[in-house]
Amino acid sequence: MSIYDTLNPEQKRAVLHDKGPLLILAGAGSGKTRVLTHRIAYLIEHRNVNPWNILAVTFTNKAAREMKERVDQIVGYGSESIWVSTFHSTCVRILRRFIDRIGYERSFSIYDTDDSKTLIREVCKYLEIDTKRISERSILGAISKAKDELITPEEFEKSVSGDYMLKKQAEAYKEYQKRLKASNALDFDDLIVKTVELFMKDKEALTFYQNRFRYIMVDEYQDTNTAQFRLIHLLASGINEEGEKEYNLCVVGDDDQSIYKFRGANIQNILNFEKAFVGTNVIKLEQNYRSTKSILDAANEVIANNIGRKDKALWTDNDKGEPVSYTLFESDLDEADSIISEIKRTVENNNASYNDYAILYRTNAQSRIFEEKLILKNIPYRIIGSVNFYARKEIKDILAYLKTIDNGLDNIAVKRIINVPRRGIGLTTIDKVNDYALLNEMSFYEALTRAASIPGLERTASKIIPFVSMIEGLRTQLYQENYDLTELIDDVLEASGYLKDLEAEGSDEANDRISNIDELINKLVTYVEGAEEEPTLSGFLEEVALVSDIDNLDESTDNIVLMTLHSAKGLEFPYVYVCGMEEGVFPSYMSIYADNPQEEIEEERRLCYVGITRAMKSLSLSAAKHRMLRGETLYNKPSRFIHEIPRYLMKINMPEKDFLTSFASKNTSPFSEYRQSQRDYKPFVAPEPKNIAGSNIGTLSYGVGDNVKHIKFGIGKVTDIIMGGKDYEVTVDFPKFGTKKLIASFAKLTPMD
């Protein structure tokens, strides 16, 4: 029997398609990775495509690793020539070869989130931006959004007009990019942007990779942003032997699982794929191999309420399974206690293991109560989205040493370790060196090499010179013949005195840090032993920089997994709990009161769909009558998404009367009768905000036309007030910041006389 005979009819159609653009709409649990790997094997085996002419791109290292392992198993000899990697890893590989053509050195550093925060802090200080009025986070967000849309600092600056905040963001963007370039560094967004820039400016580089990658496959296509779309479009636009564009591009995705708009994902990339690539063949994978019928029916009912989607519905040959469980608790404390107790009871009865369970929630803040309950009951757990291993201080310190050795232009890395361990080099000295570097347009490290010549550093130069000598010595040693890269961290620890410092401290925390450094050494050894090409320090730093927290999830460890719904995409668990299903929590207040609520609510509904489809055997949904958020006790109705699941698909763990009452309000009657089909089932719709401007607004101490003061935006004039559920949306015109729409209870506006 051929391996292709094990595929279902639609999977087989997708695998055997070999020419022209192909869009595979792959529902959750429909075997998309299997399709991609079999398609690669088919192209090589039956269409004589060279392995090195194939590029397969996805979003996480975990997904890329799994795909590569499956390709190796199916293809065998020659599979090592196929590029199977993430978008960012693919771009790094391209840039290491050609980035010198756009003015960078090939030894560029990759800045992680913490590095970017440090750099923007320096930029704000230099530009005298008041970060209490315009936060560093908002500036970085604006820069990232601009890069996702391929907007340069110059273009951003031209679009600003008279908006004060945007003007400051534009100034910061320009200076931020200037300093990145001076440090020969790229942030994560730049990895994509600079590759696009390279291809736009250098036809030779573009043609090289168009000829190299005759067949391109993109996984999770619904998560691509504008820059990634442009990158793929450029790569796929090569000319065949007949002088025509073939677009041998296969993208796999599910618009119903597009949940990363906040990261720049553009759902229109998948919805409009056929327009961008004329002649596209569309194949739907709707058979689910993961979940029970009950779970899939619930998922289909919820997502059917979205308008902006392609028509499809999951189905399965699996058993019907248990109904979806729904419980309304008195409080968030009761919710956590009940869920943890139920899991513990089931595991102790030998009916499951802890690693069979996932607890999912809308925001990271919701994990605290679950953590406390788990600790009290001595249950092992793992939080995805907590402090990443590579974000720990000692790891960041050692990596900063390695970055300085590899790329002396990396100002952030050098500044981090110039006085770690303490060398008596204070902030005043660092500021003087930094000013000298800026004045003379050189890197911070180069300025350190001239410390004796810097005015005002006559006394402290003697403390800087040994540091420079140490770095130069380590750098010389690194490039000696027969030097073993695995020794480098040990050499850094000894030369810098870092390990000696921790050993002298002797505390439990210091011992933990030493253990973490040992783990970093293990990582370096693993990298060297597993490197497909000659292992280099740049290669190691690149691999470390591109690791995400989800890549480190060990599914064999017997822990309950806690994570946000966003982090859960791509994973599956036998038993799933989705908590905090309340209006204002999920969907969030921000989506309910957004300028375009329908679009935002649809994204939240897709997130709910993702959460539901993580479950294999059992799905439990829960809400609380009252919940503490941001120090305030909130009383919210159960989420509209609960109501969108027909009653016959659910097991309601409460009296029927209480269940119906929990949804009731004077504006809505959620269940006038039970619906037995999707056709006549009417989803719960939150009441439209009622404009009460000019009427008696009760608890508010101001009205339309009044001047009010905001702690961040200053004094502004109220132009509109809208009542929505249990809160007011207040529109205020601030002279310096423009018009803002604020939630009254959060904004805490005070009236001005």
Side-chain angles (χ1 to χ4, degrees), residues 685-750:
V685 178
E688 288 294 322
K690 181 182 176 184
N691 191 330
I692 59 164
S695 67
N696 180 12
I697 57 176
T699 58
L700 293 184
S701 56
Y702 49 83
V704 173
D706 290 345
N707 290 323
V708 292
K709 185 175 182 179
H710 185 272
I711 191 169
K712 179 178 179 181
F713 303 128
I715 297 174
K717 187 174 184 178
V718 177
T719 59
D720 197 12
I721 300 175
I722 294 176
M723 179 64 181
K726 297 177 182 177
D727 213 334
Y728 298 86
E729 179 187 270
V730 184
T731 303
V732 185
D733 185 17
F734 295 99
K736 289 187 177 180
F737 295 92
T739 301
K740 303 291 179 184
K741 291 187 177 182
L742 308 168
I743 304 302
S745 60
F746 297 147
K748 302 190 186 305
L749 300 168
T750 54

Side-chain angles (χ1 to χ4, degrees), residues 341-352 354 377 379:
S341 297
E342 183 177 295
I343 294 173
K344 183 178 176 66
R345 187 166 55 250
T346 307
V347 171
E348 288 178 346
N349 290 335
N350 297 317
N351 292 325
Y354 285 123
K377 295 180 185 294
I379 295 174

